Amino acid sequence: MLCPKCGFYSEKEENVCPECGNILRQASDFRQRGAQAIRQGKRAREAAKTKQPRPAAEPMTGKHRKPTRQETVKMPVVQDTRVLAGEEEEWKTGNEDSGPAPAFERRRRTVYDEEADESTAMRYLAAHEDYGSAPHLVNWVKISIFAILIVILLLGGGWFFINRTDAGQRFLARMGKDATSVALWAVGDEQLNRGEIDKAIESFEKARKKDEAEGVIDVDGLLTLGSAYEAAGMTDKAADLYEEIYTQTPSRTEAYVNHIRILQNKGGKDLAKAGDLMKLAYEKTGEKTFLTQRTDLLPAPPEVKPIAGYYETKKTLVFSSYQGYDVWFTFDDEAKLPYEGQKATREGFVLDEGIYNLRAVTVYGDLVSDELKATYKIIMPSPQTPRATLAPNTYKTSQRVRLKPGLDDENDTSITIYYTVDGSTPDSDSPIYDGEPILLPNGWVTLKAIAVNRYRKLSNMLEIKYKIEANPKPKSAFDSEDTVDKLKINQTSQNEFFSLYSQGTAAGAVQPEGFETECRRFDYPWGYAVMTLSKKNWVLVEVSFHSSGVLSGPRGTQIGDSEAAVVGKFRDMQQVESKSGNRGLYAVTNGTGKIWLQENNEKIIRYRYAVDSHWVQLEYLVGSSGTVKNIDLKYIP
């Protein structure tokens, strides 16, 4: 083992140089090649045995003392061990004992330089460490590999250029190949600038599809596509695209401008759409130019008098347009103007009491103005509650009472007072107070009155109770004790009735007021009777007669009695007739009595009382001669 540091040679395989202490590398750690391989080989050992012994080393001052430049050692000069072509086999097959050494062996032989400087030798070894490899001849394998690498690099560079650079993607786009959306937009611009509109549209549409697949919106590119559509005469498609743009990006004014221009160029009904779009564009972008443009396009809103506000009287609205256009209006918040509204006329529109939300527009052809909106509150004043001159109390003699309007209405000549003493609530069919004192009937009596002004507004109701203990005392109201003969309505059975008055003539099925059950009628010379099926039994629900001698009415009333004779049998609060000719007799908790004037001057005296939430009704038909013509008693479910 030869130490590369001090040059000491050891025949044993040492790990550490015994001369200088340097760590020696094992032969297995690296390839033995060049001069070192020869020096550590068999021939080196044999050469070392035949040559003069190595001079003893000078004493060392230290274990690892390094020789100086002046110190020299006797060592073989490293030979050129490169093998020429064709000589390796000669060397392998040659034998040193068989004759002259082959050329390969001869080249490895050298002479010893007895005075060789050790450091010079070491530098020579380091510089020629790879000696022993093949001679530097043309190596076609390496050249082929190098050429393949060059081709691979060129192909890789081309692939990178095509797929990873914008210029490469544009190149693909120009060739009609698949490319990025950015490249397609750019190539489309180039084609559009050259006037190749159809090709530009094709490129733009491909780019748009790629952007949509990636969830990207290239507004500038879409606007350019819209311009290309317009250049190709595809205005409807361009309009749809512009609408899509400003729907997705409401702040971009270019899309509104382009769409508005298309609508204006079409004219007709599309002008109204352009006006609506101008309004939307102003709301979304805040650009006042849209509002100005819209004002110039559409007719001016209408005018109305009187102006909106609060009023206490009826008002007539008069509409006008200084441009002479038609005006349409509505008070319905949901109606669509103009044609779901009402066309204004010169006569105007009268507002009665209430709250009105007016909407009106001016119409010129297909153009509709902005809406005029106004709110009117017509709240007419109500009169005060009327007053009575007689205080509520108990009186031993007959009393009269006067009525007056409220203090604030004393000078209002339009006030009308309606009143009742029969117990009913006053209304337009009640007596009108004419200024004369009202005679209060005997017994408990309730005076009720309301005031109505020129606006038909009602006051609160005056209600005062009096007790008049004068004679004669009032009669009782019609009740369940009052019957026609001994017939009990809704109780007397059909068989009982037939046993008293015979079966009569069956007139067939009938359906009286309020009945849902089966009913049938039987006719008699004196009138008729109606039966209904109740719980599997037929019972009497109505009896009517128009001749005397067979049946008689409640409380001894008869056919031919006068109106006064009949009314005198029942309660009468002495209330006067109303303007219509009707007269209230009484109104109590469970019953009423009233006289109704008919168109032929006949009258009906009608009494009712309640039975289990139903009515039993007694009617007297009084002819124009003033006598009773018919008496009818019936059950009303």
Side-chain angles (χ1 to χ4, degrees), residues 151-171:
V151 173
I152 292 173
L153 289 175
L154 290 174
L155 292 175
W159 180 90
F160 182 84
F161 171 78
I162 293 296
N163 294 280
R164 291 292 184 266
T165 65
D166 293 338
Q169 288 295 307
R170 287 195 295 271
F171 175 77

Side-chain angles (χ1 to χ4, degrees), residues 401-548:
V401 60
R402 293 178 182 272
L403 297 175
K404 295 181 179 181
L407 291 175
D408 294 340
D409 299 328
E410 285 183 324
N411 297 325
D412 188 349
T413 57
S414 69
I415 296 294
T416 301
I417 298 176
Y418 294 86
Y419 74 96
T420 61
V421 292
D422 65 350
S424 63
T425 299
D427 55 25
S428 60
D429 194 36
S430 299
I432 297 175
Y433 180 68
D434 58 4
E436 295 295 324
I438 301 169
L439 176 63
L440 297 177
N442 297 337
W444 282 102
V445 57
T446 301
L447 173 64
K448 298 179 181 180
I450 58 172
V452 180
N453 63 10
R454 67 170 66 94
Y455 311 117
R456 306 304 300 170
K457 297 284 290 184
L458 303 180
S459 69
N460 292 328
M461 186 174 67
L462 169 70
E463 185 173 348
I464 302 177
K465 289 187 178 181
Y466 302 98
K467 186 177 182 181
I468 308 300
E469 295 182 343
N471 290 321
K473 295 184 182 298
K475 300 285 181 67
S476 62
F478 172 67
D479 59 23
S480 59
E481 299 298 325
D482 296 312
T483 63
V484 172
D485 284 350
K486 294 183 180 181
L487 299 175
K488 293 184 178 180
I489 206 72
N490 202 38
Q491 294 184 28
T492 300
S493 69
Q494 177 178 279
N495 293 334
E496 291 174 340
F497 185 83
F498 286 167
S499 65
L500 294 173
Y501 306 103
S502 77
Q503 183 171 343
T505 302
V510 293
Q511 200 68 35
E513 177 187 359
F515 278 91
E516 296 180 357
T517 57
E518 182 182 357
C519 299
R520 57 191 180 185
R521 173 174 164 168
F522 297 89
D523 291 337
Y524 297 89
W526 45 261
Y528 66 87
V530 176
M531 308 291 176
T532 189
L533 186 62
S534 175
K535 298 180 181 179
K536 299 182 179 181
N537 293 317
W538 291 92
V539 294
L540 177 69
V541 292
E542 182 178 2
V543 58
S544 179
F545 59 98
H546 51 73
S547 62
S548 60

Side-chain angles (χ1 to χ4, degrees), residues 30-320:
F30 57 88
R31 292 177 304 165
Q32 295 182 0
R33 59 184 181 271
Q36 186 175 356
I38 297 173
R39 293 176 64 183
Q40 293 183 2
K42 176 178 178 181
R43 294 184 182 278
R45 290 194 301 270
E46 291 178 353
K49 292 179 180 180
T50 57
K51 297 299 179 180
Q52 296 179 359
R54 179 182 177 87
E58 295 183 5
M60 297 176 63
T61 58
K63 183 178 180 180
H64 303 293
R65 185 183 68 85
K66 201 171 183 180
T68 63
R69 284 183 173 271
Q70 290 75 22
E71 295 175 337
T72 59
V73 294
K74 184 182 287 187
M75 60 180 294
V77 177
V78 178
Q79 305 98 333
D80 183 358
T81 60
R82 289 176 294 180
V83 180
L84 295 178
E87 295 179 347
E88 184 173 1
E89 289 298 325
E90 183 183 356
W91 164 252
K92 290 180 179 179
T93 58
N95 190 330
E96 61 181 356
D97 296 331
S98 64
F104 182 73
E105 173 64 15
R106 288 196 303 269
R107 257 191 311 275
R108 296 188 61 184
R109 295 176 181 172
T110 186
V111 296
Y112 284 89
D113 184 355
E114 299 295 338
E115 301 296 327
D117 184 89
E118 182 179 6
S119 61
T120 302
M122 296 302 296
R123 285 195 302 270
Y124 187 86
L125 284 173
H128 297 82
E129 190 175 14
D130 60 345
Y131 276 40
S133 60
H136 293 279
L137 299 178
V138 176
N139 191 329
W140 292 107
V141 175
K142 290 184 178 180
I143 291 175
S144 299
I145 293 173
F146 181 76
I148 292 172
L149 291 175
I150 293 298
V151 173
I152 292 173
L153 289 175
L154 290 174
L155 292 175
W159 180 90
F160 182 84
F161 171 78
I162 293 296
N163 294 280
R164 291 292 184 266
T165 65
D166 293 338
Q169 288 295 307
R170 287 195 295 271
F171 175 77
L172 287 177
R174 294 188 191 99
M175 298 294 293
K177 304 297 183 180
D178 187 33
T180 62
S181 61
V182 175
L184 289 168
W185 287 120
V187 170
D189 284 334
E190 296 173 0
Q191 294 167 337
L192 188 62
N193 292 334
R194 292 195 300 267
E196 299 173 353
I197 298 175
D198 293 338
K199 291 183 178 180
I201 291 175
E202 183 180 357
S203 297
F204 289 150
E205 289 179 342
K206 288 181 180 179
R208 182 185 180 188
K209 288 182 180 179
K210 281 189 168 291
D211 284 343
E212 289 176 349
E214 297 175 0
V216 176
I217 301 176
D218 188 338
V219 178
D220 293 326
L222 293 176
L223 289 170
T224 308
L225 174 58
S227 300
Y229 283 149
E230 289 190 70
M234 305 163 65
T235 54
D236 290 339
K237 203 166 185 179
D240 293 340
L241 178 59
Y242 293 140
E243 183 176 1
E244 181 180 343
I245 293 172
Y246 63 68
T247 300
Q248 295 176 344
T249 56
S251 61
R252 291 299 294 263
T253 60
E254 300 93 325
Y256 293 108
V257 171
N258 294 342
H259 195 183
I260 290 170
R261 183 187 65 254
I262 292 175
L263 294 174
Q264 287 180 307
N265 291 337
K266 288 183 177 181
K269 294 183 178 180
D270 288 314
L271 287 177
K273 295 180 181 179
D276 294 338
L277 185 55
M278 291 172 190
K279 181 179 179 181
L280 176 65
Y282 172 70
E283 292 173 352
K284 296 297 184 181
T285 66
E287 291 290 338
K288 293 184 178 180
T289 53
F290 289 114
L291 191 60
T292 303
Q293 188 179 12
R294 188 170 190 271
T295 303
D296 295 338
L297 174 67
L298 300 181
E303 297 178 353
V304 62
K305 292 181 180 180
I307 63 173
Y310 170 82
Y311 297 96
E312 293 184 350
T313 59
K314 294 180 181 180
K315 292 296 177 182
T316 300
L317 300 183
V318 179
F319 299 92
S320 63

